[in-house]
Amino acid sequence: AQTVTQSQPEMSVQEAETVTLSCTYDTSESDYYLFWYKQPPSRQMILVIRQEAYKQQNATENRFSVNFQKAAKSFSLKISDSQLGDAAMYFCAYRSAYSGGGADGLTFGKGTHLIIQP
Amino acid sequence: DAGVIQSPRHEVTEMGQEVTLRCKPISGHNSLFWYRQTMMRGLELLIYFNNNVPIDDSGMPEDRFSAKMPNASFSTLKIQPSEPRDSAVYFCASKVGLTQGIQETQYFGPGTRLLVL
């Protein structure tokens, strides 16, 4: 079974600064998908960014980018120019590229609580 | 386009009562997932459906939990009888189907916060 580990329960960053959230995963599969979801106090799960494992290029979405290191099984999220609205729980998630069984569901890390200091 | 709709948003009930949570997936999405979020266990997959058929229910904690998807636009998660340890936020998510690529993104509903006293 796959596992996802987020080693930082909480991170704090000054507004307008850059912060990096860490995520590592364990899998024996070669093809999979990785996601970062944001959960603000409203508890809505919002997709931030997505990465396909077969793509070497790191995904970017405006101020959000990832550093995907497949060999190291690492998938960190970088938030540039942090804004107050970025304050939330951030979850890293893994999904196998193979269908069937429980493979289609997402496996989540425990989350990182991001605090933005004004 | 409307997102995933869940109801109720909040539910407070007493131990032993039946609880039914409802979900309407995004139109055109063929896969539907139920997740549970607790402080202790984080986000866990309970069950998912593809084309209204349950594919994997290995995450359902016990026989008190059951889920149905009678049609493409509606699913229920039922707990009978409910217990205090069932208190959690229950999320429904949907995606286009069991295909790969960009369709891999699951879109989540707002969740139902359940409190069993």
Side-chain angles (χ1 to χ4, degrees):
Chain A
Q2 293 77 28
T3 58
V4 177
T5 302
Q6 294 179 249
S7 59
Q8 306 153 317
E10 186 173 280
M11 291 283 286
S12 181
V13 64
Q14 291 288 129
E15 194 176 3
E17 297 295 309
T18 295
V19 64
T20 299
L21 308 184
S22 300
C23 173
T24 59
Y25 56 94
D26 187 25
T27 183
S28 59
E29 298 175 336
S30 59
D31 200 11
Y32 45 86
Y33 303 92
L34 297 165
F35 305 84
W36 279 98
Y37 279 88
K38 169 185 177 180
Q39 187 179 43
S42 67
R43 290 196 173 271
Q44 177 77 49
M45 294 290 286
I46 303 166
L47 177 70
V48 175
I49 199 165
R50 171 184 60 229
Q51 174 82 40
E52 291 89 343
Y54 63 86
K55 290 186 177 178
Q56 293 186 337
Q57 186 174 7
N58 289 324
T60 62
E61 286 288 341
N62 301 313
R63 298 183 295 107
F64 298 86
S65 61
V66 299
N67 183 5
F68 173 49
Q69 301 290 328
K70 191 172 184 179
K73 297 180 182 175
S74 171
F75 183 60
S76 61
L77 174 69
K78 186 172 82 171
I79 306 174
S80 303
D81 185 25
S82 298
Q83 301 175 0
L84 294 177
D86 296 332
M89 284 290 290
Y90 285 81
F91 292 93
C92 180
Y94 172 103
R95 193 284 197 197
S96 171
Y98 305 97
S99 294
D104 299 286
L106 294 171
T107 300
F108 286 92
K110 294 292 188 185
T112 296
H113 182 210
L114 179 63
I115 298 168
I116 310 295
Q117 304 278 8
Chain B
D1 193 15
V4 176
I5 299 171
Q6 291 187 247
S7 64
R9 294 292 305 276
H10 302 274
E11 178 81 18
V12 180
T13 190
E14 293 187 345
M15 182 174 63
Q17 296 298 305
E18 178 179 293
V19 175
T20 299
L21 311 180
R22 297 172 177 81
C23 175
K24 176 179 170 56
I26 293 172
S27 178
H29 283 193
N30 298 326
S31 294
L32 182 142
F33 303 78
W34 282 101
Y35 292 88
R36 178 173 68 175
Q37 184 178 31
T38 61
M39 287 295 293
M40 290 295 295
R41 300 174 66 90
L43 279 151
E44 307 172 277
L45 176 67
L46 299 178
I47 185 172
Y48 72 92
F49 297 82
N50 188 55
N51 292 325
N52 313 337
V53 175
I55 302 300
D56 182 34
D57 65 355
S58 60
M60 296 285 262
E62 47 197 277
D63 292 345
R64 297 184 297 105
F65 286 70
S66 63
K68 295 181 179 179
M69 192 165 185
N71 57 62
S73 59
F74 183 66
S75 177
T76 60
L77 178 66
K78 186 176 293 186
I79 309 172
Q80 166 62 22
S82 58
E83 296 183 3
R85 60 191 167 123
D86 301 331
S87 298
V89 180
Y90 291 81
F91 287 100
C92 176
S94 71
K95 72 180 180 80
V96 171
L98 292 182
T99 53
Q100 299 178 4
I102 195 170
Q103 295 89 343
E104 274 312 303
T105 299
Q106 293 184 23
Y107 296 89
F108 283 74
T112 295
R113 181 175 290 194
L114 173 65
L115 177 61
V116 183
L117 302 174

